Protein backbone atom coordinates (compact mmCIF):
# COMPACT_ATOMS: atom_id res chain seq x y z
CA UNK A 1 0.00 0.00 0.00
CA UNK A 2 1.34 3.37 -0.97
CA UNK A 3 -0.16 5.31 1.89
CA UNK A 4 -0.60 4.74 5.59
CA UNK A 5 -3.46 2.36 6.19
CA UNK A 6 -4.48 4.67 9.01
CA UNK A 7 -5.70 7.31 6.57
CA UNK A 8 -8.20 4.94 4.98
CA UNK A 9 -11.81 5.26 6.14
CA UNK A 10 -12.73 2.64 8.74
CA UNK A 11 -16.29 2.42 7.48
CA UNK A 12 -18.16 3.25 4.28
CA UNK A 13 -21.32 4.22 6.18
CA UNK A 14 -22.85 3.66 9.60
CA UNK A 15 -23.00 -0.09 10.16
CA UNK A 16 -20.80 -0.81 7.13
CA UNK A 17 -17.21 -1.20 8.38
CA UNK A 18 -14.43 -1.40 5.79
CA UNK A 19 -12.09 -4.36 6.07
CA UNK A 20 -8.65 -3.72 4.57
CA UNK A 21 -6.62 -6.60 3.14
CA UNK A 22 -3.63 -5.03 1.40
CA UNK A 23 -2.38 -6.56 -1.85
CA UNK A 24 0.56 -8.79 -0.86
CA UNK A 25 2.04 -8.53 -4.35
CA UNK A 26 1.58 -4.98 -5.61
CA UNK A 27 3.18 -4.11 -8.96
CA UNK A 28 6.83 -3.11 -8.62
CA UNK A 29 7.30 0.66 -8.62
CA UNK A 30 9.28 0.60 -11.87
CA UNK A 31 6.48 -1.28 -13.65
CA UNK A 32 3.90 1.13 -12.30
CA UNK A 33 5.93 4.14 -13.38
CA UNK A 34 6.27 2.72 -16.89
CA UNK A 35 2.48 2.31 -17.08
CA UNK A 36 1.88 5.81 -15.73
CA UNK A 37 4.17 7.30 -18.37
CA UNK A 38 1.75 6.14 -21.07
CA UNK A 39 -1.43 4.79 -19.49
CA UNK A 40 -3.79 4.83 -22.49
CA UNK A 41 -7.42 4.39 -21.44
CA UNK A 42 -9.04 1.52 -19.55
CA UNK A 43 -6.30 -1.05 -20.15
CA UNK A 44 -4.33 -1.01 -16.91
CA UNK A 45 -5.70 -1.38 -13.41
CA UNK A 46 -4.36 -0.48 -9.99
CA UNK A 47 -3.35 -2.82 -7.15
CA UNK A 48 -6.65 -2.76 -5.26
CA UNK A 49 -10.41 -2.81 -5.57
CA UNK A 50 -13.31 -2.29 -3.19
CA UNK A 51 -16.11 -4.83 -2.93
CA UNK A 52 -19.38 -4.63 -1.00
CA UNK A 53 -21.97 -7.39 -1.00
CA UNK A 54 -25.74 -7.15 -0.72
CA UNK A 55 -28.25 -9.85 0.04
CA UNK A 56 -31.97 -9.68 0.65
CA UNK A 57 -31.58 -10.86 4.24
CA UNK A 58 -28.42 -8.92 5.25
CA UNK A 59 -28.55 -5.76 3.15
CA UNK A 60 -25.14 -4.19 2.42
CA UNK A 61 -22.32 -6.05 4.17
CA UNK A 62 -18.73 -7.29 3.89
CA UNK A 63 -17.15 -4.06 2.58
CA UNK A 64 -13.56 -4.94 1.72
CA UNK A 65 -10.59 -3.17 0.17
CA UNK A 66 -8.48 -5.94 -1.28
CA UNK A 67 -6.13 -6.94 -4.08
CA UNK A 68 -7.44 -6.36 -7.62
CA UNK A 69 -8.35 -9.85 -8.81
CA UNK A 70 -10.85 -11.81 -10.93
CA UNK A 71 -14.30 -12.61 -9.56
CA UNK A 72 -15.54 -16.08 -9.01
CA UNK A 73 -19.12 -16.20 -10.34
CA UNK A 74 -21.62 -19.02 -10.54
CA UNK A 75 -22.43 -19.69 -14.23
CA UNK A 76 -26.10 -19.16 -13.33
CA UNK A 77 -25.41 -15.67 -11.87
CA UNK A 78 -28.29 -13.45 -12.99
CA UNK A 79 -26.06 -10.76 -14.51
CA UNK A 80 -24.72 -13.27 -17.05
CA UNK A 81 -28.22 -14.01 -18.35
CA UNK A 82 -30.42 -10.96 -17.86
CA UNK A 83 -27.84 -8.16 -17.70
CA UNK A 84 -28.81 -6.72 -14.34
CA UNK A 85 -25.81 -4.39 -14.22
CA UNK A 86 -25.20 -0.67 -13.71
CA UNK A 87 -22.03 1.38 -13.63
CA UNK A 88 -20.54 4.83 -13.15
CA UNK A 89 -17.44 6.65 -14.35
CA UNK A 90 -15.61 9.46 -12.56
CA UNK A 91 -12.08 10.74 -12.20
CA UNK A 92 -9.60 11.48 -9.43
CA UNK A 93 -6.83 13.99 -9.98
CA UNK A 94 -3.48 14.86 -8.54
CA UNK A 95 -4.01 18.62 -8.31
CA UNK A 96 -1.50 21.39 -8.75
CA UNK A 97 -1.44 22.04 -4.97
CA UNK A 98 -0.47 18.41 -4.28
CA UNK A 99 -3.86 17.30 -2.98
CA UNK A 100 -5.88 14.53 -4.56
CA UNK A 101 -9.52 15.08 -5.35
CA UNK A 102 -12.42 13.79 -7.39
CA UNK A 103 -15.01 15.73 -9.40
CA UNK A 104 -18.62 15.75 -8.17
CA UNK A 105 -18.65 12.16 -6.85
CA UNK A 106 -21.92 12.86 -5.02
CA UNK A 107 -23.56 13.42 -8.40
CA UNK A 108 -22.33 10.02 -9.60
CA UNK A 109 -23.55 8.48 -6.34
CA UNK A 110 -27.01 9.95 -6.87
CA UNK A 111 -27.16 8.79 -10.45
CA UNK A 112 -26.08 5.31 -9.30
CA UNK A 113 -29.12 5.26 -7.01
CA UNK A 114 -31.39 6.31 -9.91
CA UNK A 115 -29.88 3.67 -12.19
CA UNK A 116 -30.26 1.01 -9.47
CA UNK A 117 -33.95 1.86 -9.08
CA UNK A 118 -34.57 1.50 -12.81
CA UNK A 119 -32.82 -1.90 -12.94
CA UNK A 120 -34.66 -3.13 -9.80
CA UNK A 121 -31.38 -3.29 -7.86
CA UNK A 122 -30.67 -2.29 -4.24
CA UNK A 123 -29.73 1.35 -3.64
CA UNK A 124 -26.23 1.92 -2.33
CA UNK A 125 -26.24 4.87 0.12
CA UNK A 126 -24.47 7.77 -1.66
CA UNK A 127 -22.06 8.25 1.26
CA UNK A 128 -20.93 4.61 0.92
CA UNK A 129 -20.42 5.08 -2.83
CA UNK A 130 -18.24 8.15 -2.25
CA UNK A 131 -16.35 6.55 0.65
CA UNK A 132 -15.62 3.43 -1.43
CA UNK A 133 -14.17 5.59 -4.22
CA UNK A 134 -12.14 7.61 -1.71
CA UNK A 135 -10.75 4.49 -0.05
CA UNK A 136 -9.55 3.08 -3.36
CA UNK A 137 -7.98 6.37 -4.43
CA UNK A 138 -6.16 6.66 -1.10
CA UNK A 139 -4.92 3.07 -1.22
CA UNK A 140 -3.71 3.46 -4.80
CA UNK A 141 -2.73 7.13 -4.81
CA UNK A 142 0.67 6.23 -6.27
CA UNK A 143 -1.30 5.20 -9.39
CA UNK A 144 -2.65 8.69 -10.11
CA UNK A 145 -0.76 9.90 -13.17
CA UNK A 146 0.43 13.49 -13.05
CA UNK A 147 0.72 16.03 -15.79
CA UNK A 148 -1.37 17.12 -18.72
CA UNK A 149 -4.92 15.86 -18.65
CA UNK A 150 -4.06 12.63 -16.92
CA UNK A 151 -6.20 11.25 -14.12
CA UNK A 152 -7.22 8.09 -12.33
CA UNK A 153 -10.48 6.86 -13.87
CA UNK A 154 -12.78 5.20 -11.34
CA UNK A 155 -15.29 2.59 -12.42
CA UNK A 156 -17.88 1.74 -9.75
CA UNK A 157 -20.39 -0.92 -10.85
CA UNK A 158 -22.91 -3.37 -9.49
CA UNK A 159 -23.83 -6.85 -10.72
CA UNK A 160 -26.56 -9.37 -9.86
CA UNK A 161 -24.86 -12.50 -8.54
CA UNK A 162 -27.67 -14.77 -7.40
CA UNK A 163 -27.46 -18.14 -9.18
CA UNK A 164 -31.03 -18.38 -10.47
CA UNK A 165 -32.46 -18.55 -13.99
CA UNK A 166 -35.96 -17.38 -13.14
CA UNK A 167 -36.78 -13.89 -14.35
CA UNK A 168 -37.07 -11.56 -11.36
CA UNK A 169 -34.70 -9.20 -9.53
CA UNK A 170 -31.73 -11.04 -8.06
CA UNK A 171 -31.54 -11.44 -4.28
CA UNK A 172 -27.74 -11.02 -4.20
CA UNK A 173 -25.47 -8.33 -5.62
CA UNK A 174 -21.85 -7.25 -5.63
CA UNK A 175 -20.87 -3.58 -5.76
CA UNK A 176 -17.28 -3.04 -6.83
CA UNK A 177 -14.96 -0.12 -7.61
CA UNK A 178 -11.87 -0.51 -9.78
CA UNK A 179 -9.45 2.18 -10.95
CA UNK A 180 -7.49 2.71 -14.13
CA UNK A 181 -4.85 5.37 -14.82
CA UNK A 182 -5.94 7.37 -17.85
CA UNK A 183 -4.48 9.69 -20.42
CA UNK A 184 -7.07 11.48 -22.53
CA UNK A 185 -9.80 9.15 -23.80
CA UNK A 186 -9.12 9.93 -27.44
CA UNK A 187 -5.36 10.01 -26.90
CA UNK A 188 -4.97 13.18 -24.83
CA UNK A 189 -4.99 15.69 -27.68
CA UNK A 190 -7.95 17.78 -28.80
CA UNK A 191 -8.90 15.82 -31.82
CA UNK A 192 -12.19 16.39 -33.59
CA UNK A 193 -14.41 13.43 -34.42
CA UNK A 194 -16.58 12.45 -37.34
CA UNK A 195 -20.00 11.10 -36.51
CA UNK A 196 -22.55 8.90 -38.24
CA UNK A 197 -26.21 9.63 -37.52
CA UNK A 198 -27.79 6.21 -37.04
CA UNK A 199 -31.07 5.87 -38.89
CA UNK A 200 -31.24 2.08 -38.56
CA UNK A 201 -30.84 1.71 -34.80
CA UNK A 202 -31.88 3.63 -31.70
CA UNK A 203 -30.15 3.73 -28.31
CA UNK A 204 -33.16 4.28 -26.12
CA UNK A 205 -36.86 5.07 -26.04
CA UNK A 206 -38.92 6.99 -23.45
CA UNK A 207 -39.82 4.52 -20.72
CA UNK A 208 -36.79 2.36 -21.52
CA UNK A 209 -33.43 2.37 -19.79
CA UNK A 210 -31.82 5.31 -21.64
CA UNK A 211 -31.66 7.44 -18.49
CA UNK A 212 -29.92 4.68 -16.53
CA UNK A 213 -26.21 4.00 -16.82
CA UNK A 214 -26.46 0.28 -17.49
CA UNK A 215 -24.29 -2.06 -19.49
CA UNK A 216 -27.26 -3.25 -21.54
CA UNK A 217 -27.53 0.16 -23.22
CA UNK A 218 -23.95 -0.25 -24.39
CA UNK A 219 -24.43 -3.82 -25.61
CA UNK A 220 -27.31 -2.56 -27.74
CA UNK A 221 -25.17 0.28 -29.12
CA UNK A 222 -22.22 -1.74 -30.41
CA UNK A 223 -23.68 -2.69 -33.78
CA UNK A 224 -24.55 0.92 -34.59
CA UNK A 225 -21.05 1.95 -33.49
CA UNK A 226 -19.60 -0.71 -35.80
CA UNK A 227 -21.78 0.61 -38.62
CA UNK A 228 -20.46 4.13 -37.96
CA UNK A 229 -16.92 2.75 -38.17
CA UNK A 230 -17.77 1.00 -41.47
CA UNK A 231 -18.93 4.38 -42.75
CA UNK A 232 -15.52 5.78 -41.84
CA UNK A 233 -16.78 7.65 -38.78
CA UNK A 234 -15.40 7.74 -35.24
CA UNK A 235 -18.68 7.77 -33.35
CA UNK A 236 -22.39 7.14 -33.71
CA UNK A 237 -24.95 9.91 -33.13
CA UNK A 238 -28.27 8.73 -31.75
CA UNK A 239 -31.58 10.12 -32.87
CA UNK A 240 -34.72 9.90 -30.73
CA UNK A 241 -36.38 6.50 -30.72
CA UNK A 242 -39.90 7.73 -31.56
CA UNK A 243 -39.64 10.07 -34.54
CA UNK A 244 -36.01 9.32 -35.35
CA UNK A 245 -35.57 13.01 -35.97
CA UNK A 246 -34.15 14.68 -32.90
CA UNK A 247 -30.48 14.46 -31.97
CA UNK A 248 -29.97 12.84 -28.57
CA UNK A 249 -26.36 11.85 -27.85
CA UNK A 250 -23.06 10.83 -29.38
CA UNK A 251 -21.90 7.35 -28.33
CA UNK A 252 -21.45 7.65 -24.58
CA UNK A 253 -21.33 11.45 -24.55
CA UNK A 254 -23.83 14.32 -24.53
CA UNK A 255 -23.87 16.92 -27.32
CA UNK A 256 -23.80 20.72 -27.39
CA UNK A 257 -24.39 23.12 -30.28
CA UNK A 258 -22.85 26.60 -30.21
CA UNK A 259 -25.08 29.31 -31.64
CA UNK A 260 -23.80 32.76 -32.57
CA UNK A 261 -20.74 34.03 -34.40
CA UNK A 262 -20.34 37.00 -32.03
CA UNK A 263 -18.22 35.76 -29.09
CA UNK A 264 -20.04 38.19 -26.78
CA UNK A 265 -23.45 36.75 -27.57
CA UNK A 266 -23.07 33.01 -27.86
CA UNK A 267 -25.56 30.46 -26.67
CA UNK A 268 -24.85 26.79 -26.08
CA UNK A 269 -27.76 24.44 -26.66
CA UNK A 270 -27.97 20.83 -25.56
CA UNK A 271 -30.84 18.38 -26.17
CA UNK A 272 -33.25 18.44 -23.22
CA UNK A 273 -33.53 15.39 -20.98
CA UNK A 274 -36.26 13.73 -22.99
CA UNK A 275 -36.50 10.63 -20.83
CA UNK A 276 -34.22 8.61 -23.09
CA UNK A 277 -31.04 10.66 -22.67
CA UNK A 278 -28.35 9.89 -20.14
CA UNK A 279 -28.16 12.90 -17.78
CA UNK A 280 -24.42 13.55 -17.97
CA UNK A 281 -22.64 15.23 -15.08
CA UNK A 282 -20.30 16.95 -17.52
CA UNK A 283 -23.39 18.20 -19.41
CA UNK A 284 -24.88 19.58 -16.19
CA UNK A 285 -21.55 21.12 -15.14
CA UNK A 286 -21.18 22.92 -18.47
CA UNK A 287 -24.70 24.34 -18.24
CA UNK A 288 -23.88 25.59 -14.73
CA UNK A 289 -20.42 26.89 -15.68
CA UNK A 290 -21.58 28.66 -18.84
CA UNK A 291 -23.10 31.47 -16.79
CA UNK A 292 -19.72 32.16 -15.12
CA UNK A 293 -18.22 32.63 -18.57
CA UNK A 294 -20.99 34.90 -19.85
CA UNK A 295 -22.36 32.21 -22.13
CA UNK A 296 -26.10 31.57 -22.29
CA UNK A 297 -27.08 27.90 -21.99
CA UNK A 298 -30.34 26.24 -22.86
CA UNK A 299 -31.84 22.80 -23.13
CA UNK A 300 -34.12 22.14 -26.07
CA UNK A 301 -34.52 19.53 -28.72
CA UNK A 302 -32.90 19.97 -32.07
CA UNK A 303 -33.49 17.82 -35.12
CA UNK A 304 -30.83 16.47 -37.44
CA UNK A 305 -32.39 18.63 -40.18
CA UNK A 306 -32.11 21.72 -38.05
CA UNK A 307 -28.53 20.96 -37.09
CA UNK A 308 -27.65 20.67 -40.76
CA UNK A 309 -29.60 23.81 -41.77
CA UNK A 310 -28.21 25.91 -38.90
CA UNK A 311 -24.66 24.88 -39.73
CA UNK A 312 -25.31 25.80 -43.39
CA UNK A 313 -26.73 29.21 -42.48
CA UNK A 314 -23.87 29.92 -40.07
CA UNK A 315 -26.20 30.05 -37.04
CA UNK A 316 -24.40 27.06 -35.48
CA UNK A 317 -20.68 27.78 -35.36
CA UNK A 318 -19.42 24.80 -33.33
CA UNK A 319 -20.60 21.40 -32.13
CA UNK A 320 -18.99 19.38 -29.36
CA UNK A 321 -19.59 16.29 -27.25
CA UNK A 322 -18.91 16.00 -23.53
CA UNK A 323 -18.48 13.30 -20.92
CA UNK A 324 -16.21 12.32 -18.05
CA UNK A 325 -13.84 10.12 -20.04
CA UNK A 326 -13.07 12.44 -22.97
CA UNK A 327 -14.11 15.76 -21.28
CA UNK A 328 -14.96 17.84 -24.39
CA UNK A 329 -14.45 16.69 -27.96
CA UNK A 330 -15.23 18.79 -31.05
CA UNK A 331 -17.40 17.29 -33.79
CA UNK A 332 -16.13 18.04 -37.30
CA UNK A 333 -18.29 16.12 -39.74
CA UNK A 334 -21.63 14.39 -39.68
CA UNK A 335 -22.53 11.64 -42.10
CA UNK A 336 -26.15 10.64 -42.64
CA UNK A 337 -28.25 8.96 -45.35
CA UNK A 338 -30.07 12.24 -45.78
CA UNK A 339 -26.81 14.00 -46.59
CA UNK A 340 -23.39 14.57 -45.08
CA UNK A 341 -22.30 17.92 -43.72
CA UNK A 342 -19.22 19.62 -42.40
CA UNK A 343 -19.55 21.14 -38.92
CA UNK A 344 -16.01 22.43 -38.42
CA UNK A 345 -12.41 21.63 -39.08
CA UNK A 346 -10.64 22.83 -35.95
CA UNK A 347 -11.54 23.10 -32.25
CA UNK A 348 -13.81 26.16 -31.99
CA UNK A 349 -13.14 29.02 -29.55
CA UNK A 350 -16.20 28.36 -27.37
CA UNK A 351 -15.47 24.62 -27.28
CA UNK A 352 -11.90 25.33 -26.17
CA UNK A 353 -12.91 27.95 -23.60
CA UNK A 354 -15.33 25.57 -21.94
CA UNK A 355 -12.86 22.70 -22.14
CA UNK A 356 -10.04 24.69 -20.54
CA UNK A 357 -12.37 26.03 -17.88
CA UNK A 358 -13.62 22.59 -16.86
CA UNK A 359 -10.15 21.03 -16.91
CA UNK A 360 -8.81 24.00 -14.92
CA UNK A 361 -11.41 23.50 -12.18
CA UNK A 362 -10.74 19.76 -12.13
CA UNK A 363 -6.96 20.08 -11.98
CA UNK A 364 -6.97 23.00 -9.53
CA UNK A 365 -5.76 25.91 -11.66
CA UNK A 366 -9.18 27.63 -11.76
CA UNK A 367 -11.21 28.47 -8.66
CA UNK A 368 -13.90 25.96 -7.78
CA UNK A 369 -16.75 28.42 -7.23
CA UNK A 370 -19.46 25.75 -7.45
CA UNK A 371 -17.86 23.43 -4.87
CA UNK A 372 -17.53 20.58 -7.33
CA UNK A 373 -14.17 19.39 -6.05
CA UNK A 374 -14.19 16.64 -3.44
CA UNK A 375 -10.85 16.60 -1.65
CA UNK A 376 -9.70 13.09 -0.76
CA UNK A 377 -6.28 13.61 0.74
C1 LIG B 1 -21.85 8.27 -18.96
C2 LIG B 1 -22.57 8.73 -20.19
C3 LIG B 1 -22.58 10.07 -20.61
C4 LIG B 1 -21.77 11.14 -19.95
O1 LIG B 1 -22.02 11.31 -18.60
P1 LIG B 1 -20.93 12.04 -17.66
O2 LIG B 1 -21.55 11.99 -16.32
O3 LIG B 1 -20.76 13.40 -18.17
O4 LIG B 1 -19.68 11.23 -17.77
C5 LIG B 1 -23.35 10.40 -21.71
N1 LIG B 1 -24.04 9.48 -22.39
C6 LIG B 1 -24.04 8.17 -22.03
C7 LIG B 1 -24.82 7.21 -22.82
C8 LIG B 1 -23.31 7.76 -20.92
O5 LIG B 1 -23.31 6.47 -20.58
Amino acid sequence: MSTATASLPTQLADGLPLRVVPNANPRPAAEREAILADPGFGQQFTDHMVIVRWSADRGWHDATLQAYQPFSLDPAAAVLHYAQEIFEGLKAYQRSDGTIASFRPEANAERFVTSARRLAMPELPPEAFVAACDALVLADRAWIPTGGEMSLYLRPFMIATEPFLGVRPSKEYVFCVIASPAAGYFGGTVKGVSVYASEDYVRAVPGGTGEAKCGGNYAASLLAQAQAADEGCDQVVWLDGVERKYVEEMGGMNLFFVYGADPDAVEIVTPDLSGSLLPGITRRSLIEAAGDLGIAASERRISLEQWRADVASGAITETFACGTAAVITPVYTCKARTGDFEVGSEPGPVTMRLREHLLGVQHGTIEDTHHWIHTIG
Side-chain angles (χ1 to χ4, degrees), residues 8-368:
L8 292 172
T10 54
Q11 59 172 36
L12 298 186
D14 280 345
L16 189 58
L18 178 68
R19 195 160 63 99
V20 175
V21 186
N23 186 338
N25 294 299
R27 299 252 211 148
E31 209 178 297
R32 187 184 66 230
E33 293 308 323
I35 291 168
L36 293 183
D38 183 19
F41 183 86
Q43 293 154 307
Q44 302 282 349
F45 300 92
T46 64
D47 290 321
H48 295 91
M49 63 187 196
V50 173
I51 284 196
V52 190
R53 296 180 188 281
W54 187 93
S55 63
D57 50 343
R58 295 181 64 193
W60 293 105
H61 63 279
D62 272 4
T64 311
L65 176 92
Q66 60 173 73
Y68 182 95
Q69 62 188 265
F71 286 134
S72 161
L73 275 184
D74 192 292
V79 64
L80 301 177
H81 303 274
Y82 309 125
Q84 227 191 337
E85 189 267 0
I86 57 172
F87 68 95
E88 271 303 326
L90 68 161
K91 284 176 170 176
Y93 309 87
Q94 178 87 58
R95 289 160 56 87
S96 42
D97 63 0
T99 58
I100 52 176
S102 57
F103 185 72
R104 309 190 78 175
E106 306 86 1
N108 295 90
E110 281 164 27
R111 190 170 63 190
F112 200 64
V113 166
T114 311
S115 297
R117 250 178 233 150
R118 180 63 185 82
L119 276 283
M121 299 170 91
E123 296 172 20
L124 181 70
E127 65 166 312
F129 177 102
V130 174
C133 293
D134 289 358
L136 183 59
V137 171
L138 282 171
D140 287 336
R141 68 183 299 160
W143 282 90
I144 308 177
T146 51
E149 292 169 16
M150 303 218 272
S151 61
L152 187 65
Y153 182 79
L154 304 176
R155 171 52 61 87
F157 62 100
M158 192 197 325
I159 55 173
T161 52
E162 185 191 0
F164 178 61
L165 296 183
V167 179
R168 57 144 172 78
S170 170
K171 290 180 179 170
E172 294 167 18
Y173 296 87
V174 167
F175 167 74
C176 179
V177 193
I178 56 174
S180 174
Y185 186 78
F186 293 117
T189 49
V190 185
K191 193 162 76 67
V193 294
S194 54
V195 299
Y196 180 73
S198 181
E199 286 153 297
D200 293 333
Y201 306 106
V202 297
R203 190 189 84 94
V205 292
T209 56
E211 284 180 315
K213 212 165 171 73
C214 62
N217 289 341
Y218 278 77
S221 78
L222 298 176
L223 187 58
Q225 177 61 40
Q227 189 180 42
D230 285 345
E231 295 289 338
C233 294
D234 301 305
Q235 292 285 324
V236 59
V237 156
W238 301 107
L239 302 179
D240 76 282
V242 178
E243 299 182 60
R244 303 215 185 177
K245 239 169 93 173
Y246 296 98
V247 177
E248 296 221 311
E249 301 191 52
M250 179 192 95
M253 301 175 80
N254 294 113
L255 281 167
F256 277 87
F257 306 95
V258 180
Y259 276 87
D262 175 0
D264 294 325
V266 285
E267 179 191 27
I268 55 172
V269 177
T270 191
D272 54 353
L273 299 176
S274 60
S276 50
L277 247 81
L278 198 287
I281 294 160
T282 317
R283 173 189 181 279
R284 199 209 297 178
S285 303
L286 289 175
I287 293 170
E288 292 170 21
D292 308 348
L293 302 176
I295 297 170
S298 49
E299 298 169 78
R300 59 173 184 264
R301 64 182 192 177
I302 160 163
S303 66
L304 179 62
E305 274 322 299
Q306 177 152 24
W307 183 18
R308 182 190 285 115
D310 289 350
V311 166
S313 75
I316 291 181
T317 49
E318 303 168 39
T319 303
F320 64 86
C322 70
T324 296
V327 195
I328 288 181
T329 300
V331 176
Y332 288 167
T333 51
C334 179
K335 209 168 168 181
R337 289 228 179 89
T338 41
D340 304 348
F341 58 104
E342 193 85 11
V343 182
S345 56
E346 56 185 34
V350 177
T351 302
M352 290 309 283
R353 242 178 105 203
L354 288 165
R355 188 174 193 279
E356 273 150 31
H357 182 81
L358 192 59
L359 282 165
V361 172
Q362 290 170 339
H363 290 267
T365 55
I366 291 176
E367 196 193 344
D368 173 30

